[in-house]
Amino acid sequence: MKPFPVFEKLAIQIDRAVGCFVYDQSGQAYLDMYGGHAVIAVGHTHPHVVDSTLRQLNKIGFYSNTIYNDLQNKLADQLGLISGYVDYGVFFSNSGAEANENALKLASFVTGRKKVLSFSNAFHGRTSGTVSATDITSIRAAVNDNRHYFFTPFNEPSSLRKQLETEEYCALIMEPIQGVGGIHVASAAFLQEIRQICTTTGTMLILDEIQSGYGRTGKFFAHQHAGIKGDLITVAKGIANGLPMAATLISPDITPVMGQLGTTFGGNHLACAAAIAVLEVIRDEKLMDNAAKIGTFLMEELQGMTGIAEVRGRGLMIGVEFDTDIRQLRHELLFGEKIFTGYAGAYTLRLLPPLCFTKKHAQIFLRSLKKLLLKNDQYSPHHSYQMQ
Ligand SMILES: Cc1ncc(COP(=O)(O)O)c(C=O)c1O
C-alpha cells in the first residue's frame, strides 16, 4: 500500500522541532516561517502543551460524546473569553473542512434555504460542501456539483449586495483574509457592509478564520479589526498546535437542536487538553501582541526591499508578491538559507510562522531574502503549484 499523493514533497525529512525551528535527520536546523500551513500556533513542542497533552493521555485520551467531558466546557469557556464571543455556542470537530461543513449545515437548518455565496479565490476545504464553496475547479469532482454554490468578487460590495438582495441565500462564507488565494485582506468597510447586507437579507455570515484566526493578526480573529461579528465562525489549524481539532462558533440566535450535528472524535479529551494549553500559552505569553508587533516589523522591512512587487497581510499572516515565479527563490531559501516558507500561486511567498516568532527570527529571514534578491534578478519561468 502507498499513501495517496497529496502535495509536491520537499526533499527533507523533519525529525524533530522546537519553537520556531525544525531539524532534519542530520540535525540541521531550519527556521520555520510556515508552521506547517499555520498549524504551529505557539511554537513546536511547546513544553506546556506537551506536558498537558501527555498528562491527559496518561489519564484518558478518548471517550465518545455520549458522556460528559468537562474539558469541553473548560475549553469553551476559555475560547469564549479570549475571543470575546462569550455568549456563543461551540461545536468541536477535527478539521477545518468539518468546521465549515457544519457551519454551512447549521446556516441551512436555521434559514431553511440552500444557496451559498462565496468569493472568487476562496478556499474553504475539500469536503463536499466546502469544496463547492472553494474557487478551485480542479479539486471539485462531479459529485460535488450540487448547483447551490455561487461566487462573487472579493472586496466588491455592489455585486454582493445585488446577489444577496435578489435571491435568498442561507449563507455567505468568507475568509476575512484569503490565505490560499494569496493573502488578500478584506477591507474594514467591506466587512462592515457585508455584515449589514447579511443582517437585512437574513443571510448567515460564516467567517472562516481557520487560517487568519487564533491570534495570528494581532486580534483573536481577523474580522475583529473591522469591529463586526459573524453568525458562525470557524477555527482549526492552530487550535491544538498540531493535534487534529476544529471548532464552529455559533451565535446565540441559533437555537441548538439536539442531534443536528454529531461527531465521533470531535472534542475528545486529548485534543481538548492540548487546546486548553494552547489558549493558556497565547494568553500568558501575550502572543497576540507579539504577532502584531513582529508582523508590523516584518511587513515594514519587506515593503522597503528592492525586488518585491507587493506586501499584503496583517500580523503574522503575510503575502510577499513578486513579478516573477518564486520557485527558485523558495528553493534557495530552503536548501541554501535553511528557511521554510509557503506559497500562494506562482508569485506569492506565504509567511505563517508560529506566533512566538521574534525580531531576531525575522532578521534572519530578512537578511537571507535580501541576499538572494541581490544575487538573482530573475527567477525561473512560471510554474503552477498545487494549492493548500
Ligand atoms: C481558510 C481555510 N479554510 C478551510 C481550510 C481547510 O482546513 P482543513 O485542511 O483542516 O480541512 C483551510 C486549509 O488550508 C483554510 O486555509
Side-chain angles (χ1 to χ4, degrees), residues 37 95-98 100 123-126 175 179-180 208 210-211 236-237 350 388:
H37 302 311
S95 68
E98 262 185 87
N100 282 338
F123 186 91
H124 295 294
R126 294 166 189 273
E175 300 153 89
V180 171
D208 176 343
I210 287 161
Q211 198 167 135
K237 302 275 192 202
R350 190 158 46 126
Q388 163 65 13

Side-chain angles (χ1 to χ4, degrees), residues 230-296:
D231 300 304
L232 294 142
I233 302 109
T234 54
V235 290
K237 302 275 192 202
I239 185 171
N241 212 43
L243 260 68
M245 195 186 207
T248 308
L249 276 57
I250 305 160
S251 158
D253 297 337
I254 299 173
T255 311
V257 177
M258 168 85 79
Q260 271 184 349
L261 307 183
T263 167
T264 296
F265 289 118
N268 67 74
H269 298 71
L270 188 62
C272 281
I276 291 166
V278 165
L279 288 180
E280 286 166 350
V281 174
I282 290 178
R283 182 197 61 203
D284 296 348
E285 297 184 9
K286 301 190 171 36
L287 292 186
M288 288 197 261
D289 292 347
N290 186 65
K293 192 174 84 191
I294 305 301
T296 304

